[in-house]
Amino acid sequence: MANYKLSIQYEGTRYNGWQRQDSTDMTIQGKIEQVLSRLYEEKVEIDGSGRTDGGVHALEQIANFKVPKAKNRFLEEEILSYLNEYLPLDIRVHSMEQVDERFHARLSAKSKIYEYHIDRGKVENVFHRRFAARTGEPVDVERMKAAAAYCLGTHDFKSFCSNKKMKKSTVRTIHAISFREENDILTIRFRGDGFLYNMVRILVGTLVEIGDGRREPEEMKQILEAKDRGAAGYTAPPQGLFLVKVFY
Amino acid sequence: MANYKLSIQYEGTRYNGWQRQDSTDMTIQGKIEQVLSRLYEEKVEIDGSGRTDGGVHALEQIANFKVPKAKNRFLEEEILSYLNEYLPLDIRVHSMEQVDERFHARLSAKSKIYEYHIDRGKVENVFHRRFAARTGEPVDVERMKAAAAYCLGTHDFKSFCSNKKMKKSTVRTIHAISFREENDILTIRFRGDGFLYNMVRILVGTLVEIGDGRREPEEMKQILEAKDRGAAGYTAPPQGLFLVKVFY
């Protein structure tokens, strides 16, 4: 089998997220599989490094797909230009390479970076309206930083997981959380070994509730210990979230 | 008369430019005038610092409008929030202030900054597709810089004006042209006392033809001297162009 790794960029605004659905597929995975299946004249399935929710963007999502050697009659460059010719303009494949047969975009991933953008301007910036979220009240970044420190390291992040039926481990390691303020945009960057369903958005929602004074920074510790989704804050809206990079 | 100055931001993608048209108005000026006229229950006209073409964006456009003292029954804050409540999300008024009665957004303008964004990536960046233009061939920035130097200072820019019936002076002064490369985006910034119809886009189109080797940097001098639109390069597409700032 030939195994191909794809580096994919997308604006999530129009899509119901990464994961393929049944029919009339407005998903990133579905769109890419449709084009690849047309190229190879047989069903091709791709594996992404993870799902992104509807409306979430990716600066660089990684996926891979396998083709039997007998069917493998195209050059990488041909596959890449075929994909970009037939994919919608809000999904682009930036590069592709043949990789070891054991490479799996999800299982081989070592860590990921996500970023969340908050537009703190008095009036919304039109160029960020699809790429940043607004908060109801002004947020104090120092309070958010103090709260974020409790999340660093290895914890059970069950309070930050929307999937109530999650049977697998909800233990994850967050290596770093950093804050950047540029003009009116506050960017919160998370680097970790993996993230649960909605985890970054719930972390951000909780940080916002701490930043605007509804909760205290120290409560973050109790929220983690509660292992209960109800203990954490709201789920921040999807348009502010970007999958930035996947490390292998 | 009360004279109000507005600082306006817009994404031009959906619009037929700044200037009001007859009916079914998809123009920035038209949209703002509609909302103000509804607020004041009489026709209100606004003057912009200049027209921007269909598809061109503004980080900060300036406009002003006058209201007879008798009609002037709203606080500035009320007008601002009414505007942002009823304007579409791709047009925002970021601030407003009452100014001297003699202030006129166009006539009082001393200079302007425009920026043009070119996406030089091998594959288009999905987040820049509405905000940057692509070039057919790679461009050499050093060649573009050498050519741009000929445009600095005061010249008759008739070769860079799309309006063939232009009867007024086509002499303008360009104070500075600078180039910035960040990731795959090349930004060309123009600061000048004023710009003719399509002037920045024709300057960029000509610089691209020089950058990709179709023309030599030295030709810029002859193009200026020709005072003929036919001598210059193509009109670069609107989506790469931003009105950045107007100085008074």
Side-chain angles (χ1 to χ4, degrees):
Chain A
M1 299 285 267
N3 190 10
Y4 290 106
K5 177 183 171 192
L6 303 174
S7 161
I8 303 158
Q9 189 181 57
Y10 49 85
E11 180 187 334
T13 314
R14 295 197 306 140
Y15 296 97
N16 301 318
W18 168 266
Q19 196 183 25
R20 179 201 325 122
Q21 292 170 352
D22 290 341
S23 58
T24 62
D25 211 2
M26 276 305 285
T27 67
I28 320 291
Q29 183 184 24
K31 289 286 176 195
I32 297 171
E33 287 181 348
Q34 273 171 31
V35 177
L36 284 174
S37 300
R38 196 158 91 182
L39 174 67
Y40 285 102
E41 294 173 320
E42 70 170 27
K43 199 173 166 186
V44 176
E45 295 197 352
I46 66 172
D47 282 304
S49 75
R51 308 167 191 177
T52 54
D53 299 337
V56 172
H57 317 293
L59 281 175
E60 190 184 38
Q61 163 74 292
I62 301 294
N64 74 299
F65 68 95
K66 293 182 175 183
V67 185
K69 282 233 158 58
K71 289 264 176 186
N72 193 28
R73 60 190 186 280
F74 304 108
L75 296 172
E76 284 157 43
E77 226 169 86
E78 291 173 323
I79 306 169
L80 186 65
S81 67
Y82 188 88
L83 278 163
N84 285 324
E85 188 173 347
Y86 291 105
L87 281 170
L89 287 171
D90 46 10
I91 306 175
R92 296 286 90 183
V93 181
H94 276 262
S95 64
M96 65 176 292
E97 55 175 342
Q98 201 171 345
V99 288
D100 189 281
E101 227 176 292
R102 286 163 300 184
F103 175 86
H104 186 285
R106 183 169 51 83
L107 300 174
S108 309
K110 293 275 185 293
S111 63
K112 283 181 190 174
I113 291 175
Y114 276 96
E115 277 188 2
Y116 198 92
H117 296 180
I118 294 171
D119 179 351
R120 305 170 79 195
K122 209 184 142 206
V123 174
E124 190 173 25
N125 185 310
V126 301
F127 301 103
H128 293 130
R129 69 190 195 284
R130 294 193 197 88
F131 308 116
R134 305 272 297 167
T135 58
E137 300 294 323
V139 289
D140 176 335
V141 179
E142 293 310 313
R143 291 173 62 92
M144 297 168 88
K145 282 182 185 170
Y150 291 102
C151 302
L152 296 176
T154 305
H155 301 278
D156 188 334
F157 285 96
K158 196 161 192 290
S159 295
F160 298 91
C161 179
S162 283
N163 182 359
K164 286 183 186 163
K165 294 173 193 154
M166 180 77 171
K167 281 178 184 152
K168 294 180 201 161
S169 168
T170 45
V171 174
R172 294 291 184 277
T173 301
I174 298 185
H175 303 301
I177 304 177
S178 57
F179 294 75
R180 191 172 73 238
E181 295 174 77
E182 205 173 355
N183 300 323
D184 286 330
I185 302 295
L186 169 65
T187 301
I188 313 175
R189 169 180 278 230
F190 300 84
R191 187 163 56 79
D193 66 350
F195 295 89
L196 304 164
Y197 181 54
N198 279 355
M199 177 169 155
V200 179
R201 290 168 58 190
I202 302 169
L203 279 167
V204 170
T206 307
L207 290 172
V208 165
E209 291 182 9
I210 289 163
D212 70 15
R214 272 179 280 176
R215 295 168 182 251
E216 294 305 314
E218 299 69 36
E219 286 182 46
M220 189 59 101
K221 196 165 175 284
Q222 297 142 32
I223 296 169
L224 277 163
E225 284 164 1
K227 295 175 195 169
D228 171 13
R229 170 67 189 90
Y234 74 105
T235 305
Q239 77 271 16
L241 187 60
F242 288 75
L243 171 57
V244 172
K245 201 162 176 59
V246 188
F247 297 95
Y248 292 95
Chain B
M1 298 286 266
N3 191 10
Y4 289 106
K5 178 183 170 191
L6 303 173
S7 161
I8 304 158
Q9 189 180 59
Y10 49 87
E11 180 186 334
T13 313
R14 297 197 305 140
Y15 297 96
N16 301 318
W18 169 266
Q19 197 183 24
R20 179 200 325 124
Q21 292 170 353
D22 289 341
S23 58
T24 63
D25 210 1
M26 276 305 283
T27 67
I28 320 292
Q29 184 185 20
K31 289 287 177 195
I32 297 171
E33 287 182 346
Q34 272 171 32
V35 177
L36 284 175
S37 299
R38 197 158 89 181
L39 175 66
Y40 286 102
E41 294 174 318
E42 71 171 23
K43 201 173 166 186
V44 176
E45 295 197 350
I46 63 172
D47 282 304
S49 76
R51 308 168 191 177
T52 54
D53 300 338
V56 172
H57 317 293
L59 282 174
E60 189 185 38
Q61 164 74 293
I62 301 294
N64 74 298
F65 69 95
K66 292 182 177 184
V67 186
K69 283 227 157 66
K71 288 264 176 186
N72 193 26
R73 60 188 186 278
F74 305 109
L75 296 172
E76 283 157 42
E77 227 169 84
E78 291 173 323
I79 306 168
L80 186 66
S81 68
Y82 189 88
L83 278 163
N84 286 323
E85 188 172 348
Y86 291 105
L87 282 170
L89 287 172
D90 44 11
I91 305 175
R92 294 287 93 182
V93 180
H94 276 263
S95 64
M96 67 176 291
E97 53 174 346
Q98 202 172 344
V99 287
D100 189 279
E101 227 176 290
R102 286 162 301 184
F103 176 85
H104 186 285
R106 181 168 53 80
L107 300 174
S108 310
K110 293 272 184 295
S111 64
K112 283 181 190 173
I113 291 175
Y114 276 96
E115 277 189 1
Y116 199 93
H117 297 180
I118 295 171
D119 179 351
R120 306 170 78 194
K122 210 183 141 205
V123 174
E124 189 172 27
N125 184 312
V126 301
F127 301 103
H128 292 131
R129 71 192 195 285
R130 292 193 198 89
F131 308 115
R134 306 272 297 166
T135 59
E137 301 292 323
V139 288
D140 177 336
V141 178
E142 294 309 315
R143 292 173 60 92
M144 297 169 87
K145 283 182 187 171
Y150 291 101
C151 302
L152 296 176
T154 304
H155 300 277
D156 187 337
F157 284 97
K158 195 161 192 288
S159 294
F160 298 91
C161 178
S162 283
N163 181 359
K164 285 181 188 165
K165 295 174 195 155
M166 180 76 171
K167 282 178 187 152
K168 294 181 202 160
S169 167
T170 46
V171 174
R172 294 290 184 277
T173 301
I174 297 187
H175 302 302
I177 304 177
S178 58
F179 293 76
R180 192 172 73 237
E181 296 176 75
E182 205 173 354
N183 300 322
D184 286 329
I185 301 296
L186 169 64
T187 301
I188 314 176
R189 169 180 276 229
F190 300 82
R191 187 162 58 79
D193 65 351
F195 294 90
L196 304 164
Y197 182 53
N198 278 354
M199 176 168 156
V200 178
R201 290 168 57 192
I202 303 169
L203 279 167
V204 170
T206 308
L207 290 172
V208 165
E209 290 181 11
I210 290 164
D212 71 15
R214 273 179 280 175
R215 295 169 183 249
E216 293 306 314
E218 299 70 34
E219 287 182 46
M220 190 58 101
K221 197 165 172 285
Q222 296 141 34
I223 295 169
L224 278 164
E225 284 164 1
K227 294 176 195 169
D228 170 14
R229 169 70 188 89
Y234 74 106
T235 305
Q239 77 271 16
L241 187 60
F242 288 74
L243 171 57
V244 173
K245 201 160 177 59
V246 188
F247 296 96
Y248 289 97

